[in-house]
Amino acid sequence: MSVLYGVISIVALALVGVCIAVDKKRDIYLLCMFIFVFVCNLGYFLISVSKTVEFALNANRVAYLGQVFLPFFLFMMLMGICKIEYPKYLPKVLCGVSVVILLIAASPGVVTWYYKSAHIEITDGTTFIVREHGPLHALYYVYLGGYFAVDAFIVVRSIIKGEIVSKLHAFFLMAAVFCNIVVWFIGQLLPRGFEYLSLSYITTEVFILLLYGILQEYNFMTKNVPVAITVPENNISPTVPTDELGDGQTVEVWDDEDSNGELFTPSDIERMLAGCETMSELTGRERDVLRRILSNKRRKDIAFELCVSESTIKKHTSSVYRKLSVRNRLELFAKLKQYMR
């Protein structure tokens, strides 16, 4: 079995390289998750080849270093994928909690808080730690259970609200979260002999890589190349995405990759939203879409930012136009600009 742990560790290390190659945006939480999966599996391998209790407990600490921080990195990664805003202090607080749990889990051999006792047994050349749980061991289950519950809530909420780019996106997101939950519970019911989470982590990484591949392919396919338009002087903008104009508009198009296409500043947008008397008729999501329209973003880019389909943004845009009694972006810009004065 130690050979199997060794192979899994090598695969986990290889997936770190795959992650670096696939993740063009360099998501630090994604990279840390892959690194700590390797650390965790390395710990399992070192336990399996241990010859003394002291070495086994040190290897167990390495495994827990990965296990404790993995839920934190997965949670932060999901928050980013689902575009959920959070306070700036949240990662620091959660990281602090993880450090406390790690210190408790690493205490065997020093104090009896986590394990009352521990010794090793060697079966068919593979070493196992035989342990008796201490009074603080339940904290680790609470820690994992809390993250599992919150991760599941984030995924289900995003699916119910339609904040998912595609059904395939939803499938991989669900698989990445629920795979670990199911395997962990199964592992608690089976006789202790193999760390099934070692395989679960690898499976989760594959789902995550596929998910990031889908999202980034979607992003590259819909990447905005700002488009310029020549309009009469009484119109307010020289740069409006062509796919958002009304019928019959004449456009002059050129590529300008250095331009961000911004139309109104954030303060301008908030003044317009605050001054418009019909703004109360818009839902929260419609206001989110409107803010991005006023920033002159294309429908495809708005869909990617909000993690929803382009058709969903089209429906929100139509609803915004109907409630504000305009037919296209030019009329929308002209109507709302008056509230900047």
Side-chain angles (χ1 to χ4, degrees), residues 212-228:
Y212 264 71
I214 291 170
L215 289 177
Q216 292 189 139
E217 181 181 357
Y218 180 86
N219 187 30
F220 296 150
M221 289 173 62
T222 62
K223 184 177 180 181
N224 182 25
V225 179
V227 179

Side-chain angles (χ1 to χ4, degrees), residues 82-110:
C82 296
K83 304 294 182 182
I84 297 177
E85 296 182 1
Y86 53 84
K88 291 184 178 179
Y89 62 80
L90 182 63
K92 296 179 181 178
V93 171
L94 294 179
C95 186
V97 172
S98 298
V99 170
V100 172
I101 297 297
L102 175 61
L103 291 175
I104 294 173
S107 65
V110 181

